[in-house]
Amino acid sequence: MSVLNRRSFRYPIAFLLFACLCVAGFFAGYRTGYSSGYSSGRAKYQSEEPYPVVYQVGDLIRATRDAGDSPDTPLDFSMLMQATQSVVFPGEWAQLGGNCSMAPFPSLELLVIDATSGVHARTAELFEDMDSLKPAITEIEQQRLEWKRMQQEQVSKALEPVSKRLGETLVPLAGDVDMSGKWNVKIVTPDGKPATNQYTFIDQETFEAQSSDPFFQPGKQWFSVSDGAMVAIGTGFHAAMGSDDDLILVPTNDPTTYLRLTRTNN
C-alpha cells in the first residue's frame, strides 16, 4: 500500500474516533444533567411542607355513588377518600408513612386535605375527571364487599360450634348496632358452670361491669364494635345476635366459651 493510501485511511479513523468521543460526551453530559435535575426536583418535592386545602365534595360524592341510593342517604366520604389515596401518589399518605392526610366534615360536605402542592394538583385533576374517579370508587367498593363477605364467612365459621350448642342461627353483629343500656350477662364455659354479671353500656365506647367475671373486673371498660366483632380492653370476641335479640360473644381464643347478653327492661 502506498504512503498516500495509508494517510487517506488514517484520517477517517481519527475523525471517527473524534466523533465518537463527542457523542459520548454529549450523552454523559445529558445523563448527568438529567440525574442532577431529577434529584434536585425530588428533594424539593420531599422537603415541601404539606398545607391544607378545603374541597367541596358533596356533589362529587352524589355523582359517584350508587344510583339506587336515596337522596336522603348520608354521604359516604370513605369511598372517595380511599379512592383518592389509592390513585393520588399512594406512598405520600400517612397510612403508608407519608406526610399527607385528609379529614371529612360531613355536616358541611367538605373534605380537608393536608398535602403538598403536587398531591393537591393531582387531587384536583382527579376530582374533575369522572372517567377516572368512578372506576376507582367502583374498585374500592368491590374490594370492600369482598372483604365483608370473607369476614362474614370467617365469623360464621367461628360461631358454628356455639350455634350448634344453642340450637340457634346466629347472625353476625352489625357494626352500627346500638348497645346502650343494661344487659344481663350469662357466661358459659366448657365445664358447664355458668357465671353471671351485668354490663351497662354507657355509650359507643364505654361499658361498666357490675362485678368481676372471667373476662372483666368491676368498673368501666372501653370497647369497640365492628361488623361481627367486639374488642374490649384488649380481649377480642366474635359477636352475633341470637334469638330474642340476645347478644352472643365468643372469645376469639376460646370458641368453646360464650357470653349471652340479654337487654333488661330497666
Side-chain angles (χ1 to χ4, degrees), residues 240-260:
M241 300 302 294
S243 62
D244 301 324
D245 290 331
D246 285 356
L247 175 61
I248 307 297
L249 301 178
V250 180
T252 55
N253 62 350
D254 182 9
T256 61
T257 296
Y258 68 90
L259 294 76
R260 186 176 197 120

Side-chain angles (χ1 to χ4, degrees), residues 136-201:
I137 289 179
T138 299
E139 183 178 355
I140 294 295
E141 176 64 16
Q142 290 175 345
Q143 292 174 355
R144 176 185 289 186
L145 292 175
E146 177 63 15
W147 178 84
K148 188 173 183 178
R149 182 190 65 78
M150 294 175 62
Q151 183 187 42
Q152 288 178 339
E153 288 182 355
Q154 182 181 10
V155 171
S156 297
K157 185 176 181 180
L159 293 171
E160 187 174 355
V162 172
S163 178
K164 289 181 178 179
R165 288 173 62 185
L166 295 174
E168 301 177 22
T169 299
L170 302 181
V171 180
L173 187 70
D176 58 355
V177 64
D178 180 12
M179 298 177 60
S180 59
K182 293 183 178 181
W183 298 71
N184 291 326
V185 183
K186 181 180 179 181
I187 303 171
V188 180
T189 58
D191 60 15
K193 297 179 180 179
T196 59
N197 205 343
Q198 186 176 82
Y199 299 160
T200 301
F201 287 85

Side-chain angles (χ1 to χ4, degrees), residues 21-111:
L21 288 173
C22 289
V23 172
F26 170 78
F27 280 110
Y30 172 81
R31 181 60 188 173
T32 301
Y34 173 83
S35 299
S36 177
Y38 176 83
S39 299
S40 176
R42 183 62 179 169
K44 180 180 179 180
Y45 177 76
Q46 290 180 332
S47 65
E48 183 182 350
E49 291 295 327
Y51 58 91
V53 172
V54 177
Y55 295 85
Q56 174 61 251
V57 296
D59 291 340
L60 184 62
I61 294 176
R62 293 186 186 91
T64 55
R65 68 184 181 182
D66 195 312
D69 288 347
S70 167
D72 298 328
T73 302
L75 298 181
D76 183 1
F77 282 75
S78 64
M79 301 298 295
L80 177 63
M81 293 170 65
Q82 291 180 44
T84 302
Q85 292 169 345
S86 67
V87 173
V88 179
F89 303 118
E92 297 300 322
W93 299 98
Q95 290 85 340
L96 294 179
N99 296 323
C100 302
S101 60
M102 60 176 68
F105 289 83
S107 61
L108 300 176
E109 300 186 355
L110 302 177
L111 184 62

